[in-house]
Amino acid sequence: MTIGIVVFPGSNCDRDVQWATEGCLGIPTRFLWHESTDLSDLDAVVIPGGFSYGDYLRCGAIARFAPILSSLIDFVNSGGKVLGICNGFQILTELGLLPGALTRNQKLHFICENIPLIVSSTRTEWFEGVKCGDNIYLPIAHGEGRYQCNKDTLKKLQDDDSIAIRYKNNPNGSLNDIAGITNKKGNVLGMMPHPERACDDVLGGLDGRSILQALLAK
Amino acid sequence: MPNFRANIQVSLRPSVLDPAGEATKSAAIKLGIRGLTKLRIGKSIDIEIEASTKEEAKGQVELLSDRLLANPVIEDWTLELFSDDLSIDV
């Protein structure tokens, strides 16, 4: 049981994720350079936060064409689990594995704080141990996290019960307070908050643990 | 092979909030600009491309605009294509 963390030029949360998965949770973890394509030994893949390719053009727009992401589409189609955190979420929307787009925060600020979130769906394994409506606390750190999609897409997300977490006090202007969504199948989760920064009491919270543990749930 | 030049304008869709445009608009008003009712910020991309025909050039640039330069979920784009060779009518 091994997970992989994709590393792009400009990723900067890759080691934080490794510290959380391997150091805090004991999950065997290896890094995946963006030019590699072999995911055959992996049970799950994390696309970490950061500024892949300097966020040039749009966040995630250039990363989307990395060789590893072609393999990732096959990986997802065959049921593999993928977690996109922050820039990873932006990349998953650019890639089309999740709908919508992440745009500039309403008030332009880069927001870096520990915030309350409401678990909106426990349909998938990512939030299995939590109750719908529960509050969890995770850090956010982004300038472009305002979720946007058209009305039809929003309706589909709601009908499919795919809005996983919402902001309690919407910090960035996200549509419908959306902080994280899953695909219909439930094996892909994209979220702006950073679960890897909430896996140790010393850092002020443990609410990220169950999300990362779900990488290896059956 | 003929050389073509293209300019692609990428803009946020009208329904998508443009916070950078709003902030710039408020600064423009502080500057004393009168009568300003709209300010939206987009991107302008200049490219040069070789192609045997203008249709080929247009097809390539349209693909580029739609798949990479703009994200159709939140952005619109427009294209102008020019030829350096005056005998090619674009």
Side-chain angles (χ1 to χ4, degrees):
Chain A
M1 300 290 266
T2 304
I3 67 156
I5 301 169
V6 181
V7 183
F8 294 104
S11 296
N12 66 8
C13 299
D14 41 344
R15 282 158 204 273
D16 289 10
V17 174
Q18 183 208 26
W19 173 83
T21 55
E22 203 159 56
C24 297
L25 301 171
I27 300 171
T29 302
R30 72 178 176 93
F31 289 117
L32 307 163
W33 187 233
H34 62 109
E35 284 172 345
S36 60
T37 52
D38 184 12
L39 307 176
S40 56
D41 63 318
L42 299 173
D43 295 280
V45 172
V46 179
I47 309 180
F51 301 85
S52 57
Y53 300 92
D55 275 353
Y56 294 153
L57 195 60
R58 291 179 310 281
C59 305
I62 296 174
R64 175 191 143 198
F65 291 95
I68 196 160
L69 294 187
S70 306
S71 305
L72 194 77
I73 291 172
D74 297 333
F75 184 76
V76 166
N77 288 338
S78 55
K81 276 194 176 171
V82 173
L83 169 62
I85 302 165
C86 201
N87 190 224
F89 185 14
Q90 294 163 341
I91 292 168
L92 289 175
T93 60
E94 282 282 342
L95 190 62
L97 283 176
L98 291 173
L102 283 312
T103 59
R104 187 79 73 91
N105 291 348
Q106 188 165 13
K107 292 181 182 164
L108 289 169
H109 298 289
F110 187 99
I111 310 168
C112 188
E113 29 181 67
N114 212 17
I115 56 151
L117 299 146
I118 303 167
V119 176
S120 309
S121 169
T122 51
R123 179 178 67 90
T124 64
E125 286 168 352
W126 303 104
F127 294 95
E128 212 165 40
V130 212
K131 282 202 294 291
C132 232
D134 274 2
N135 284 359
I136 57 172
Y137 287 80
L138 295 175
I140 54 166
H142 61 248
E144 285 163 309
R146 181 168 54 100
Y147 185 79
Q148 291 280 292
C149 67
N150 63 29
K151 280 182 186 163
D152 293 344
T153 305
L154 179 62
K155 185 169 185 312
K156 190 168 186 312
L157 284 171
Q158 289 168 328
D159 291 349
D160 292 344
D161 192 19
S162 287
I163 301 171
I165 39 173
R166 289 191 167 92
Y167 298 110
K168 190 168 183 185
N169 309 305
N170 194 338
N172 57 20
S174 272
L175 182 74
N176 210 251
D177 302 329
I178 289 172
I181 58 173
T182 58
N183 62 347
K184 187 175 180 180
K185 197 171 178 182
N187 57 330
V188 179
L189 168 66
M191 58 191 289
M192 290 311 296
H194 288 267
E196 79 279 15
R197 298 186 192 175
C199 288
D200 189 311
D201 260 338
V202 174
L203 296 182
L206 295 172
D207 287 350
R209 280 184 168 240
S210 60
I211 299 170
L212 296 181
Q213 268 158 345
L215 288 164
L216 288 189
K218 270 183 276 168
Chain B
M1 200 179 278
N3 192 49
F4 296 84
R5 287 175 291 119
N7 175 261
I8 300 106
Q9 295 280 339
V10 178
S11 54
L12 281 172
R13 289 191 162 194
S15 59
V16 178
L17 175 73
D18 175 16
E22 288 297 319
T24 308
K25 187 175 151 194
S26 100
I29 291 164
K30 284 177 190 148
L31 173 67
I33 304 300
R34 289 185 299 273
L36 191 65
T37 55
K38 178 183 170 182
L39 195 162
R40 307 271 292 172
I41 295 177
K43 296 177 192 134
S44 172
I45 297 128
D46 290 314
I47 66 167
E48 295 187 9
I49 185 166
E50 290 179 338
S52 34
T53 63
K54 77 168 185 190
E55 285 75 20
E56 186 191 327
K58 188 163 178 276
Q60 289 293 295
V61 179
E62 284 179 345
L63 180 66
L64 170 68
S65 304
D66 209 47
R67 296 285 303 279
L68 176 59
L69 300 181
N71 178 348
V73 175
I74 46 166
E75 293 170 325
D76 292 325
W77 56 270
T78 57
L79 162 68
E80 279 189 296
L81 191 64
F82 312 93
S83 170
D84 289 338
D85 180 348
L86 296 176
S87 68
I88 298 178
D89 179 21
V90 292

